[in-house]
Amino acid sequence: MRVNKNFDNLVPNYLFAEVAKRTNDYIEKNPDKKVIKLGIGDVTLPLAPVVVEAMKQGAEELGIKESFKGYPDYEGYEFVRKAIADYYAGFGVEISPDEILVNDGAKSDSGNIGDIFAQDNTVMVTDPVYPVYVDSNIMAGRKIVYADSNAENGFAALPPKDVKADIIYLCSPNNPTGSAYTFDQLRQWIDYANDNDAIIIYDAAYEAFITDSDCPRSIFALDGARTCAIELCSLSKTAGFTGTRCGYTIIPKELERDGHNIYKLWYRREATKFNGVSWPVQRAAAAVFSEEGQRQIRQNLDYYKENARIIASALDELGIYYTGGKNSPYIWLRCPNGMGSWEFFDFLLENANVVGTPGEGFGSNGKGYFRLTSFGDRENTVEAVERIKKLLK
Ligand code: PLP
C-alpha cells in the first residue's frame, strides 16, 4: 500500500495557525487590551430574512409526504439554475440554466475541477494566490508556473510572454490583493488562453463587490470567453453562505478541449462523486436571487463595502500604497517603513492591538505586504482604523 506522495510536496500552510497563535499569546499576556481582528475572511452579518424564511419553508416541506424531496439533481434544481441565469442576464450576460451546476461552494469545485484534466498539464496561477488552486494541483502532481502580481501591475497579473500554460486560475476581484480585472486586462487573458488552447478557471467569488463599470462581473461578459473559460461563483461572500454552503459553476456548452466536451466531463465527474445540495439550501439560494433577496443582501454588501472604504481612506491619508478596497472586501497594503509582513503583523498587534494577515502567506510576491478585510463590524473597523492612523502618522 502506498499513499499519494504528491502530498509530500505541499508546503505546510502555517499562515492562519501562526496568526492565531501570535494573537492568542498576545491576548493571554495582555488581558486588559481590546484586540480587533481585521484578518478574517469570514462574513459576520447574518443571513437575509427572506433567505432564512425560504430555508425554514424548505425544511418544513421535507417533513410533509407530498413535498418531501430525496436525492437532488446533481446539477441543482432547475428553478435555482434559472434564478442564477436571470441574475446574470440582469448585468447583461447571457448564460443558459443548462450551463450552470449548483454546488456546495466554490472551494470544492476549485479544488476538484482538476479531476477532469490530465496530470501532465501545466498550471498557471498568480502570485500571490488563493492557496486552494496551488495545493489541489500539487496533490495531483501537476507542474505549476506563476504569473507575477506586483505593484507594477496593481497586483493584477497579466499573461507572461513566452510562458505556456494549459490551465490558468484567475480570481477577480482577487483574494488576497483586492484587485479587480478591467475588461482590457481580462481580454489579454482570454486571448492568451484561446491562443494556447488553455482553459481559464475563473473564480468570481467576490463579483458582487464590483461597482466600477469597467470591471466585468463575469468572464462571460467578454467575447471569446465561452471557448476558453469555466466560471466559479459562490454565495458565501455575496449572501453570507459561508456556513450554509452553496455556490455554482458555469461551463459553456460549446467548451471543448482534446476532443471532449468539458461540461459533459464535469457532469460525469459530479454524477460520480457528488450528490447535490440539500433542498432547504437550494430554496435559500433561490431566495437570494429574488427581488427582495437582492435588496436585502445589498444592505450587507454595502455595509462591508463601507468598512472597506473607511480602511482605504485611512491609507490614502497616510500615503500608504494599497490595492483593493473598492471593488473588493480586501485591502492589500504595502507595509510601512520597509517592514516585512510578519514584522508589521507584530508591530500592529503590539502597538495598535489590530490583527491582519501577513501577505507573504499567499506567495513570495506578498513579502512586505499585508491584507486587511472589511468583514468585521463597523464600530471595530472604525476603532481599528483610528488606532492605525495614530500609530503610523
Ligand atoms: N474562492 C476564493 C477566491 C475565496 O477567497 C474563497 C473563500 O474565502 C472561496 C473561493 C471559497 O468559497 P466557498 O465558501 O464558496 O467555498
Side-chain angles (χ1 to χ4, degrees), residues 97-333:
D98 293 343
E99 298 173 319
I100 297 168
L101 300 106
V102 178
N103 58 34
D104 63 350
K107 189 183 204 172
S108 311
D109 279 22
S110 60
N112 292 327
I113 194 85
D115 276 11
I116 62 172
F117 301 122
Q119 193 232 329
D120 60 0
N121 285 301
T122 297
V123 170
M124 185 180 284
V125 299
T126 62
D127 172 10
V129 64
Y130 175 59
V132 175
Y133 315 148
V134 173
D135 287 356
S136 56
N137 281 292
I138 289 177
M139 289 173 189
R142 289 196 190 94
K143 180 181 168 203
I144 300 175
V145 295
Y146 291 86
D148 287 320
S149 294
N150 49 37
E152 240 165 78
N153 54 35
F155 280 93
L158 293 173
K161 294 197 171 57
D162 314 321
V163 183
K164 193 180 155 5
D166 307 298
I167 304 167
I168 302 152
Y169 289 78
L170 298 178
C171 176
S172 180
N174 191 271
N175 180 13
T177 75
S179 63
Y181 282 124
T182 61
F183 278 87
D184 287 347
Q185 291 169 325
L186 197 51
R187 155 105 348 260
Q188 295 181 45
W189 279 110
I190 290 170
D191 292 346
Y192 172 91
N194 279 321
D195 290 349
N196 286 292
D197 199 32
I199 280 190
I200 296 173
I201 316 287
Y202 189 78
D203 188 338
Y206 298 95
E207 62 79 20
F209 289 83
I210 292 177
T211 36
D212 282 353
S213 58
D214 61 347
C215 297
R217 303 263 300 266
S218 161
I219 195 167
F220 299 117
L222 285 92
D223 289 342
R226 291 182 62 86
T227 54
C228 69
I230 294 172
E231 182 158 302
L232 313 177
C233 206
S234 167
L235 297 185
S236 284
K237 311 299 158 79
T238 303
F241 273 52
T242 52
T244 308
R245 313 302 308 141
C246 194
Y248 49 91
T249 290
I250 302 170
I251 308 183
K253 281 286 169 76
E254 64 261 45
L255 183 58
E256 308 254 341
R257 284 293 179 277
D258 197 15
H260 286 73
N261 179 276
I262 299 298
Y263 177 95
K264 283 188 185 156
L265 284 182
W266 182 243
Y267 188 90
R268 183 73 173 84
R269 186 271 175 208
E270 289 290 80
T272 302
K273 295 194 185 181
F274 182 63
N275 248 344
V277 175
S278 76
W279 173 251
V281 170
Q282 292 205 50
R283 287 279 268 114
V288 168
F289 298 103
S290 67
E291 212 178 308
E292 184 54 18
Q294 286 292 299
R295 203 187 58 73
Q296 292 179 5
I297 64 154
R298 268 290 138 207
Q299 289 175 355
N300 290 2
L301 288 165
D302 287 346
Y303 181 95
Y304 296 136
K305 286 172 74 67
E306 176 61 10
N307 284 351
R309 193 199 61 74
I310 290 167
I311 299 169
S313 71
L315 298 176
D316 283 333
E317 254 179 70
L318 292 165
I320 292 175
Y321 172 84
Y322 67 93
T323 51
K326 199 170 174 211
N327 297 300
S328 160
Y330 296 116
I331 296 98
W332 177 257
L333 61 114

Side-chain angles (χ1 to χ4, degrees), residues 62 68-74 77 274-279 282:
L62 292 180
F68 172 75
K69 300 279 184 290
Y71 288 121
D73 303 331
Y74 305 122
Y77 287 104
F274 182 63
N275 248 344
V277 175
S278 76
W279 173 251
Q282 292 205 50

